[in-house]
Amino acid sequence: MPVTVRRPLLPAVLSGLLLALSFPGGPGLWPLLAVALVPLLLAVRGGSRGRAFRAGLVTGMVHFLILLYWIVIVLGHYGGLPWYLSVLALCLLALYMALYVGLFALGARMLVDTLPPSAVLWLVPAVWVGLDWLRGWLFSGFPWMDLGYALWGQPALIQVADLLGHHGVTFLLVLINALLALSLNAGPGAGGRGRLLLAAPVVLVIAVVAVYSAVRWHQVGRQMAASDRMPIGIVQGNIDQDLKWSPENQGKTVATYIDQTASLFAGGDGTRRPTLVVWPETALPFYPANSMFVEDLQRMNSRFDMALLTGAPWYEVVDQAKKKYNYFNSALLIAPTGEFIDRYSKSHLVPFGEYVPLKPLLPFLAPLVESVGDFSPGVIGRPLAWRQGRIGVLVCFESIFPAIARQWVRNGANVLVNLTNDAWYGKSSAPHHSLAMTVFRSVETRRSLVRAANTGISGFIDPLGRVVRRSGLFEPWAAAEDVVLMDGESLWVRGGHLFAPLCAGAALAAIGWSVAGRRREYV
C-alpha cells in the first residue's frame, strides 16, 4: 500500500531534525542521512505543489536554524550587533537556505506528477545537487555543509569525490532516500518485482562506487608512498579574538608564536625539523611592511633556517595624495633571510565579514568590517614556491569552495594550505563544519592539506582525506609532519567538477519538459 501523508508538517519537521542530527559538531549521526529526506519526499506526494514547497521550506528552516546557530555568536559577540539583530540575521539566512529545500520539494513534486518512478529516482537527486551547486554560486555563494560533507569522518566512503566531487557523495545519499520513498509509495500493482527493478540499478551503482573507492584507496596509497615529502610545521597561537588587534598586545602575540615555533625545533618526537612553518590567518595583527616586529620574524627564520607562511593584513597605495589604499587579507611567505618572497591575497571575501555588499544601501552593517578592514579581493596565480613545495593557499572560508582548490591544482600546486581564524565561531559547531568541508578538498584534488587555525581546528590531512593529526579548540598547539607532495590531476580536477552543473541542467530540462507536458494536456 502506498504511504499517504495528509498533514505534511510533522514529516517535514522530522526530516529537518534528522538532517540536523546527522552533521558534525552535534551528534554526528551520519547514517541518518540515508533516511533523513524520506519523510519529506513522502509528504510531497499528493496535495498541491504549493503544499510541497511549504513542506520543503519547513524542513529547511528546521535544519538550517540548528545548523547555522553560530551566526548569532559571530554577529553578536564579535560583530557587535544587538542580540535581536543577530537572531534576525540567523532567521533570514536560514530562510534563504531553506528556499532551496522548498524548491527541491517543489521540483520533486513536479517530477512525480508526470514521470515514471524509474526516471524520478535519478532526477530527484539531480534536483538536490543542482540546487546545491546554484547555492554555492549565487550571490557569491554560500555552500555551507552540503549533505555529502557529513561523511567527512569516513574516508573509505568518500573516495569517489576524486571523480565527482563532494556533490557525487551528496547525489548517492539523496538517491538512497529517493529509492526508499518511491518503494514506500509504490502502488499495489508494483509488487515485489517492480520494487526490485527500481532498486537493482541503485544497488549496482553503490556496488560500483564501493569497488572504485577500494581500488582508489590502494592506488593513492601507493602513490603517496612513492611521492616526495616535506616537513611542515603548524603553530596554533590561541590568541583571544577580543585582544588580538589591540596595539599593546601585538608584541606579546608575536612572542607567543615565536615561542611555539621554537618548540618545533626542540626535537624528541622523531619528526624532521620543518623547513616551512605555517601560522594562521592574520597571525600578524598588523601591517608587516612597516612594523618593527618584522625584525623578530627575520631573526627567528634565520635562527631555525626555515621559511614562514603566515597570514597578515596587507595594503597597497592607490593614491598617496588622496590617501587612498587597497587592503588585503593576505598570506605572506618569508624566506630564512627574512625576505618577503611571495604573497597571496584572499580572492573570495566573506560578505558582511570582510566587505559589505551594496554598502551605501546597508550602512547599519558597516561595524561588521571596521575591526578587520574593508578588504579588496586578490587573484589566484601561480602557487607560492618553497623548496620542493608548490603551495596553493586557501584563506579562511575559501576552503569551502571546491573551485578555488581546483584552480590552485590546475596552476601546479602540489600541496594545499588553509590559513584560518575560527575564533569568530566560538566553541560552536562551525569549526567542526569547516574542518569537514576542508577534508573533501584533499580527496577531490588528491593533495595533502595543512590547516593552521588561530584557535582550532588545526591539523594535517592526507590525500586520502584522513586527518593524520589535529588540535583541539581554544588551546595552544604546535606540531610538525612529513607532508606528502602529490602531482598530477584527479579526474575531478580534469572534468568531474562539471557533474553538479550537469545535474542542474538535467533537472531543469526534466522539470521544463514536465511543465510543458502538463500544459499540452490542457490544450
Side-chain angles (χ1 to χ4, degrees):
M1 292 291 292
V3 176
T4 301
V5 178
R6 300 188 182 280
R7 296 182 179 180
L9 179 60
L10 289 179
V13 170
L14 178 59
S15 276
L17 291 174
L18 289 173
L19 288 172
L21 291 171
S22 303
F23 282 81
L29 303 176
W30 60 268
L32 291 178
L33 287 176
V35 298
L37 293 176
V38 172
L40 174 62
L41 290 171
L42 292 175
V44 303
R45 187 181 179 93
S48 68
R49 292 180 176 181
R51 192 185 86 160
F53 175 78
R54 290 191 294 273
L57 200 65
V58 169
T59 294
M61 284 298 291
V62 172
H63 172 45
F64 287 113
L65 282 173
I66 297 172
L67 185 77
L68 301 175
Y69 75 91
W70 49 267
I71 291 292
V72 175
I73 299 172
V74 173
L75 299 182
H77 183 76
Y78 295 108
L81 288 183
W83 69 266
Y84 54 88
L85 284 181
S86 301
V87 172
L88 176 61
L90 167 62
C91 293
L92 290 175
L93 179 58
L95 177 60
Y96 168 72
M97 302 283 275
L99 286 174
Y100 291 91
V101 186
L103 291 173
F104 163 74
L106 174 60
R109 178 71 178 85
M110 295 171 69
L111 294 173
V112 168
D113 276 350
T114 56
L115 297 177
S118 58
V120 172
L121 175 64
W122 300 95
L123 287 168
V124 163
V127 173
W128 185 284
V129 169
L131 287 166
D132 275 353
W133 172 77
L134 181 64
R135 178 163 54 87
W137 170 80
L138 200 61
F139 307 123
S140 88
F142 190 59
W144 192 268
M145 288 309 289
D146 297 339
L147 297 190
Y149 286 129
L151 271 62
W152 75 278
Q154 312 299 320
L157 300 182
I158 64 174
Q159 297 306 303
V160 73
D162 79 344
L163 179 61
L164 301 175
H166 80 279
H167 290 299
V169 178
T170 297
F171 186 95
L172 291 173
L173 289 170
V174 181
L175 179 64
I176 295 170
N177 281 267
L179 174 62
L180 294 175
L182 287 169
S183 297
L184 290 171
N185 260 327
R193 185 173 180 273
R195 290 184 173 88
L196 179 61
L197 290 174
L198 201 62
V202 176
V203 173
L204 179 61
V205 166
I206 292 173
V208 169
V209 168
V211 171
Y212 176 86
S213 294
V215 170
R216 290 297 288 152
W217 184 275
H218 292 291
Q219 286 179 342
V220 175
R222 289 194 297 269
Q223 292 171 4
M224 290 168 56
S227 297
D228 289 338
R229 292 174 180 260
M230 184 167 74
I232 299 178
I234 296 173
V235 173
Q236 177 172 293
N238 191 37
I239 306 300
D240 191 327
Q241 188 66 26
D242 292 328
L243 303 176
K244 181 176 180 178
W245 292 96
S246 60
E248 59 271 19
N249 283 297
Q250 290 178 356
K252 183 179 178 181
T253 296
V254 172
T256 296
Y257 276 105
I258 291 175
D259 289 344
Q260 288 182 245
T261 301
S263 71
L264 296 174
F265 295 86
D269 64 353
T271 304
R272 285 192 294 160
R273 292 163 60 95
T275 59
L276 173 69
V277 174
V278 182
W279 291 1
E281 178 189 17
T282 58
L284 305 183
F286 48 79
Y287 295 101
N290 54 7
S291 173
M292 63 180 178
F293 297 113
V294 171
E295 294 182 2
D296 297 329
L297 304 182
Q298 293 169 336
R299 284 192 293 268
M300 176 191 69
N301 283 19
S302 176
R303 174 187 173 192
F304 298 119
D305 190 26
M306 52 161 268
L308 175 66
L309 179 61
T310 181
W314 193 265
Y315 71 90
E316 294 178 351
V317 178
V318 177
D319 189 327
Q320 184 68 57
K322 296 181 179 179
K323 295 184 179 181
K324 186 177 180 181
Y325 307 91
N326 283 339
Y327 299 93
F328 302 92
N329 186 355
S330 295
L332 308 177
L333 184 60
I334 308 174
T337 59
E339 177 188 2
F340 291 86
I341 57 175
D342 218 337
R343 175 172 65 92
Y344 164 69
S345 294
K346 187 176 182 181
S347 60
H348 196 124
L349 301 175
V350 181
F352 305 110
E354 292 169 317
Y355 76 104
V356 177
L358 305 175
K359 192 173 181 178
L361 302 179
L362 303 170
F364 66 94
L365 290 176
L368 290 178
V369 296
E370 286 179 356
S371 63
V372 294
D374 196 355
F375 291 124
S376 300
V379 177
I380 300 173
R382 58 178 176 78
L384 282 61
W386 177 247
R387 301 282 173 89
Q388 67 271 45
R390 300 186 303 277
I391 306 161
V393 181
L394 309 170
V395 179
C396 190
F397 95 145
E398 286 187 326
S399 65
I400 77 174
F401 293 94
I404 298 177
R406 176 180 175 272
Q407 187 60 55
W408 279 119
V409 171
R410 294 284 290 178
N411 291 359
N414 59 7
V415 63
L416 299 174
V417 173
N418 179 208
L419 311 182
T420 189
N421 177 18
D422 289 354
W424 299 102
Y425 302 136
K427 292 183 178 179
S428 70
S429 61
H432 301 277
H433 296 168
S434 187
L435 175 65
M437 291 181 281
T438 302
V439 164
F440 274 80
R441 304 295 83 83
S442 284
V443 181
E444 289 164 347
T445 61
R446 294 304 183 190
R447 294 295 187 269
S448 298
L449 194 146
V450 178
R451 189 168 199 267
N454 176 37
T455 58
I457 302 170
S458 301
F460 300 89
I461 305 167
D462 73 12
L464 286 169
R466 297 178 297 191
V467 181
V468 177
R469 199 168 176 183
R470 59 176 285 183
S471 74
L473 280 172
F474 288 90
E475 63 179 33
W477 186 79
E481 288 285 338
D482 279 343
V483 174
V484 175
L485 304 177
M486 294 270 282
D487 289 307
E489 294 182 355
S490 68
L491 292 173
W492 176 82
V493 170
R494 294 176 186 175
H497 65 287
L498 297 174
F499 174 71
L502 286 174
C503 283
L508 186 62
I511 292 173
W513 186 88
S514 172
V515 171
R518 284 183 64 88
R519 285 177 178 170
R520 284 194 297 268
E521 290 178 7
Y522 294 103
V523 174

